[in-house]
Amino acid sequence: MLLQEGAILVHLFVSIGGDPAGPLVFQLEARRLPKACGRFLDLLYPSQSNQSPTYVRSLIHRVVPGGWAQGGVVPFKEKLEAVADESFAVAHDRPGVIGFANEGPHSSTAQLYITFAPQPALDTKFVAFGRLVDGLDVLRKIEGVETDNGRPLPQVKITAGGNQFTYGF
């Protein structure tokens, strides 16, 4: 994939069974989806307050081989306000599309998914806001974990977010 000028790149580090699995590097579509990308970045890089919800140390709680990984349930004292569906401009046309899970239109909060394969049925139901540009081997490791009814048996955890930068500036 060719990086777009001004693209925001972020690293999502994961562990499997307590062992580092490596980073997933995503190019975010912040120009087209500023609210969704803003919510994701706020949860990946929270304020210094210990009260802020964060993806760091959250679990990938569902793995559907050939489908997606789902996780990012963050603890918070007050319910996060839902983000309206901005656009369905990012197609679920490849492995590594990242977006927000929802409970219907305009109900995305924090839970995210990452596709393992094209998922065109999601294109007008879930807002995708980025694409994997590096780390397909890590994504395949996640897809290959043993599961019990979709729940990963070795714990799959988001351990850190890192190296946010803008390409081309």
Side-chain angles (χ1 to χ4, degrees):
M1 167 188 254
L2 199 58
L3 294 178
Q4 299 170 354
E5 177 102 6
I8 295 175
L9 300 177
V10 297
H11 290 66
L12 194 67
F13 292 89
V14 297
S15 67
I16 298 174
D19 296 323
L24 298 166
V25 182
F26 294 97
Q27 176 177 303
L28 302 184
E29 295 287 342
R31 288 186 177 167
R32 292 195 284 177
L33 298 147
K35 291 179 184 173
C37 290
R39 169 64 57 89
F40 175 74
L41 291 170
D42 285 347
L43 291 166
L44 188 57
Y45 305 107
S47 69
Q48 298 303 317
S49 164
N50 289 336
Q51 303 300 316
S52 297
T54 179
Y55 287 131
V56 177
R57 294 182 297 283
S58 70
L59 297 176
I60 301 296
H61 66 270
R62 184 173 183 209
V63 171
V64 180
W68 59 88
Q70 187 172 343
V73 176
V74 296
F76 45 87
K77 289 182 178 181
E78 298 176 20
K79 187 174 181 176
L80 289 175
E81 185 176 326
V83 176
D85 297 339
E86 285 180 275
S87 168
F88 298 109
V90 178
H92 297 81
D93 59 354
R94 65 191 75 182
V97 174
I98 187 171
F100 285 125
N102 65 42
E103 296 177 356
H106 309 296
S107 65
S108 301
T109 55
Q111 214 173 119
L112 55 85
Y113 63 85
I114 305 166
T115 62
F116 295 133
Q119 300 294 327
L122 303 182
D123 281 348
T124 58
K125 295 182 176 94
F126 297 91
V127 174
F129 53 82
R131 293 187 173 99
L132 188 72
V133 294
D134 193 24
L136 185 59
D137 59 327
V138 177
L139 188 63
R140 293 295 177 226
K141 288 178 192 176
I142 296 168
E143 183 179 22
V145 300
E146 184 180 351
T147 63
D148 179 14
N149 200 28
R151 183 178 55 86
L153 294 179
Q155 221 177 44
V156 179
K157 187 180 282 190
I158 298 170
T159 57
N163 298 339
Q164 174 187 343
F165 61 93
T166 304
Y167 176 78
F169 286 115

